[in-house]
Amino acid sequence: MSSDSSSSFDVVVVGRGPVGSTLANLLGVCGVRTLVLEREAKAYHLPRAVHFDDESMRVFQTIGLSEAIRPHVILSPGMRFVDAEGRLVLDWPRSAELTPMGWHLSYRFHQPDLEQVLNDGLDRWAHVTVRNCCDVFALDQDETSARVRYEDLCTGQRAEVRAGYVVGCDGARSLVRRFICSAMDDLGFHERWLVIDVLLKRDRPDLCDYSIQHCNPQRPATYVRGTGNRRRWEITIHPDEDAMAATEPDRIWSLLARWITPQDADIERAAVYTFHSAIAKQWRNGRLFLAGDSAHQTPPFLGQGMCAGIRDAANLAWKLWHVVRGRADHGLLDTYQSERAPHVREYIELAIRLGGLINTKAMAAGLAAGVPRQDAPAKLDVRTPLLGPGLSAGDTGLVGRLAPQFTLSDGGRSDDRVGYAFALLADASFAGALSPRERAALATAGVAVLGSDEAAGLSAWLSQNDIAAALVRPDRYLLRTVRCDRDFAELLAALNNTARVPPVA
Ligand SMILES: Cc1cc2nc3c(=O)[nH]c(=O)nc-3n(C[C@H](O)[C@H](O)[C@H](O)COP(=O)(O)OP(=O)(O)OC[C@H]3O[C@@H](n4cnc5c(N)ncnc54)[C@H](O)[C@@H]3O)c2cc1C
């Protein structure tokens, strides 16, 4: 076993899927010495995720890649539910307006395109090293560091590196999860679906831009318009059906026959996936962490699996950065699972309910008959969940939610001005009244100040919420609000602590 000469890193990321790559880019932004170890030579070339949301795009903006991603996405107009006869039973449109995040609610994309942009983005950071064809097989840790052992699959040589922290972004069958010794909390949904991606050979505008949920009790199915000439169908496989037989071309075309024929399209790939719903019970053991599919798996009906992993990365990266730089103690890292796990659980439960709606005879019948049901989508609550307890607990109902993004008077955007850092969004009169000592305290703690005279809509947002200022975390979640002088004095006192990261109010 050779000890790698450049063998000491702040963070080792295991796996360079979309989550590992996003995390490594965020650590790149922070200047954290990072090694990414990936088993494969190249990004996985076949499609999986087809949808991401405004919050994910905001994270891509933070890592400076939103403009590079934009040419690879199209906007989604929404989702329609139809019965077995094709009658519309429910419409769930997505607005074409920008959301308070400063982005659109729903983007369609091709996962390999996104991964390519994210991976290329890693080349920008001198302190981020990527090693492909490196299979991690063992981990251990002591009080000072973690040891990562891996095999270079090109040479067969084994090597080891040491790091302050290891994050397993190594997918659903995570090795890091095994070393953390975490069991999974099974949320009960496990179904086989045949996923068919086709490439159109001729225009088929009748297939439409909406996602269509075919609530056909005999054979529930989902249609999704992809980017360019890509189209996808996800079709239930019955328990008695053989997965191999389901992917035979004749069988695929017979399942697709009511929508499309071989004259219209070529099959890019067809595979049977078992969609799971599960959350790891333990996301951290000392210096080892989980993020993305290693920590949670969701049925794809809401298009939130990867999005949840992107949120993990945004939550964890700044905390690792602060601990690695000695600005916060290790306890800050405990807030990662406590904040993220309840948030992702809510999305998974919602996805299961949506899957039930598409799947279940009774629900489809109820919908077709126009009978409102408690779990029908008209009643589905698609509000973004709150962060779980952690730094952002308590206070006014605002903390634990995402802060809006504002357009600046110079045409720029507030996130770009602030960077991946803390920000005080303040009423102009409040910001103008800050003393030199207060400004210095904020600057020393790395808090950017943005006044409402510089940002359109900020004044209205502050007064709607009856606050003079709000402290926002680097991942854009609201941490503290300021209504009175005492609130601000407490905020400053917290910033003056050696731990710098403001504790819970
Ligand atoms: C059919 C389908 C449709 C989906 N649709 C959506 C959607 O619309 N929207 C959405 O948000 N999500 C969707 N998802 C989920 C999404 O694809 C996943 O959540 C996402 O790919 C997870 O990213 P990840 O980086 O956590 O893991 P992965 O993408 O699985 O990446 C893990 C990486 O770790 C590497 N690795 C594993 N073990 C090791 C090791 N020991 N050493 C080194 N490297 C290792 C692997 O090679 C891989 O590159 C869908 C999934 C499927 C299957």
Side-chain angles (χ1 to χ4, degrees):
M1 175 94 51
S2 77
S3 189
D4 198 321
S5 50
S6 50
S7 61
S8 178
F9 295 88
D10 295 324
V11 177
V12 168
V13 176
V14 183
R16 188 227 42 213
V19 177
S21 202
T22 301
L23 177 64
N25 272 294
L26 284 162
L27 294 170
V29 171
C30 302
V32 173
R33 288 175 312 130
T34 303
L35 171 66
V36 183
L37 293 171
E38 166 58 48
R39 173 194 288 152
E40 302 298 330
K42 291 192 211 141
Y44 188 60
H45 64 290
L46 287 173
R48 285 181 291 166
V50 287
H51 159 273
F52 67 76
D53 62 14
D54 50 350
E55 188 180 351
S56 303
M57 193 56 138
R58 201 173 174 186
V59 176
F60 300 145
Q61 178 190 355
T62 297
I63 56 177
L65 294 177
S66 51
E67 289 311 308
I69 288 168
R70 248 202 246 239
H72 299 288
V73 301
I74 55 171
L75 297 187
S76 164
M79 192 180 275
R80 286 177 172 165
F81 295 71
V82 300
D83 66 14
E85 281 70 48
R87 284 184 303 241
L88 181 67
V89 290
L90 191 89
D91 197 2
W92 186 10
R94 306 286 171 96
S95 165
E97 302 292 310
L98 292 179
T99 73
M101 301 296 102
W103 293 100
H104 293 282
L105 194 56
S106 179
Y107 294 91
R108 299 257 179 72
F109 75 113
H110 179 53
Q111 189 168 333
D113 291 342
L114 175 71
E115 290 192 31
Q116 189 64 52
V117 174
L118 294 173
N119 293 339
D120 290 349
L122 293 173
D123 294 341
R124 298 170 298 166
W125 316 112
H127 46 282
V128 176
T129 306
V130 180
R131 291 187 193 145
N132 294 322
C133 301
C134 288
D135 186 37
V136 175
F137 62 85
L139 303 165
D140 54 79
Q141 57 179 321
D142 58 30
E143 272 143 42
T144 58
S145 64
R147 182 171 62 142
V148 182
R149 289 187 282 165
Y150 64 93
E151 179 181 343
D152 182 328
L153 297 175
C154 297
T155 62
Q157 287 208 318
R158 291 177 169 206
E160 65 180 50
V161 289
R162 290 205 159 264
Y165 297 95
V166 178
V167 187
C169 303
D170 50 346
R173 295 179 190 168
S174 171
L175 175 100
V176 179
R177 194 175 64 230
R178 253 174 271 155
F179 278 90
I180 284 179
C181 294
S182 173
M184 300 297 280
D185 202 353
D186 180 355
L187 303 193
F189 185 99
H190 307 278
E191 281 188 12
R192 291 185 311 157
W193 284 63
L194 173 63
V195 179
I196 307 164
D197 287 285
V198 307
L199 298 170
L200 290 182
K201 294 191 279 196
R202 65 181 185 89
D203 254 10
R204 282 292 308 274
D206 56 307
L207 287 174
C208 108
D209 291 344
Y210 283 81
S211 298
I212 308 285
Q213 302 290 4
H214 296 274
C215 306
N216 175 353
Q218 264 69 53
R219 182 78 79 180
T222 304
Y223 158 80
V224 186
R225 188 214 195 286
T227 54
N229 63 342
R230 290 201 150 77
R231 303 291 183 272
R232 169 177 292 178
W233 280 267
E234 295 170 1
I235 302 175
T236 315
I237 297 294
H238 296 145
D240 58 342
E241 286 178 314
D242 178 57
M244 289 293 282
T247 55
E248 294 291 331
D250 285 353
R251 181 66 186 139
I252 291 169
W253 286 118
S254 84
L255 286 168
L256 294 179
R258 58 178 285 214
W259 301 295
I260 197 162
T261 69
Q263 279 70 52
D264 298 315
D266 293 321
I267 296 170
E268 186 182 25
R269 73 85 188 259
V272 173
Y273 282 89
T274 304
F275 295 144
H276 295 288
S277 58
I279 305 180
K281 286 186 194 288
Q282 208 183 325
W283 295 27
R284 175 188 184 188
N285 180 344
R287 298 177 178 277
L288 313 182
F289 289 82
L290 301 176
D293 275 18
S294 63
H296 42 74
Q297 290 126 47
T298 175
F301 307 118
L302 265 180
Q304 276 294 332
M306 183 193 79
C307 298
I310 302 296
R311 289 189 186 95
D312 296 344
N315 185 297
L316 183 58
W318 69 269
K319 293 176 181 173
L320 285 170
W321 168 40
H322 276 73
V323 173
V324 161
R325 292 282 172 271
R327 292 182 175 186
D329 67 31
H330 294 242
L332 176 64
L333 299 170
D334 286 332
T335 64
Y336 165 57
Q337 176 175 0
S338 68
E339 290 182 345
R340 284 292 308 135
H343 192 284
V344 72
R345 177 182 287 266
E346 213 171 301
Y347 266 129
I348 296 173
E349 287 172 351
L350 187 56
I352 294 171
R353 288 168 67 196
L354 198 59
L357 177 70
I358 305 158
N359 268 332
T360 314
K361 202 170 189 162
M363 286 192 189
L367 272 179
V371 180
R373 294 175 53 90
Q374 203 185 353
D375 42 3
K379 305 257 180 176
L380 279 178
D381 188 355
V382 290
R383 278 178 313 170
T384 310
L386 267 178
L387 282 186
L391 286 172
S392 297
D395 212 337
T396 62
L398 262 187
V399 294
R401 297 194 184 283
L402 281 158
Q405 174 161 215
F406 299 96
T407 303
L408 304 179
S409 41
D410 63 6
R413 294 171 152 228
S414 53
D415 287 3
D416 294 333
R417 168 81 67 85
V418 167
Y420 189 53
F422 286 95
L424 188 74
L425 304 178
D427 186 68
S429 58
F430 183 94
L434 289 172
S435 69
R437 188 186 61 78
E438 289 166 337
R439 282 196 173 270
L442 291 168
T444 309
V447 180
V449 179
L450 193 63
S452 58
D453 50 340
E454 300 178 89
L458 175 53
S459 177
W461 179 76
L462 291 165
S463 58
Q464 262 162 29
N465 291 294
D466 194 24
I467 51 177
L471 186 63
V472 182
R473 310 165 8 155
D475 55 10
R476 319 299 178 201
Y477 280 85
L478 286 151
L479 180 58
R480 291 179 88 116
T481 53
V482 176
R483 285 202 164 76
C484 58
D485 290 348
R486 195 168 137 242
D487 291 344
F488 189 58
E490 282 174 10
L491 185 149
L492 284 180
L495 290 176
N496 278 334
N497 281 343
T498 46
R500 297 273 167 77
V501 174
V504 183

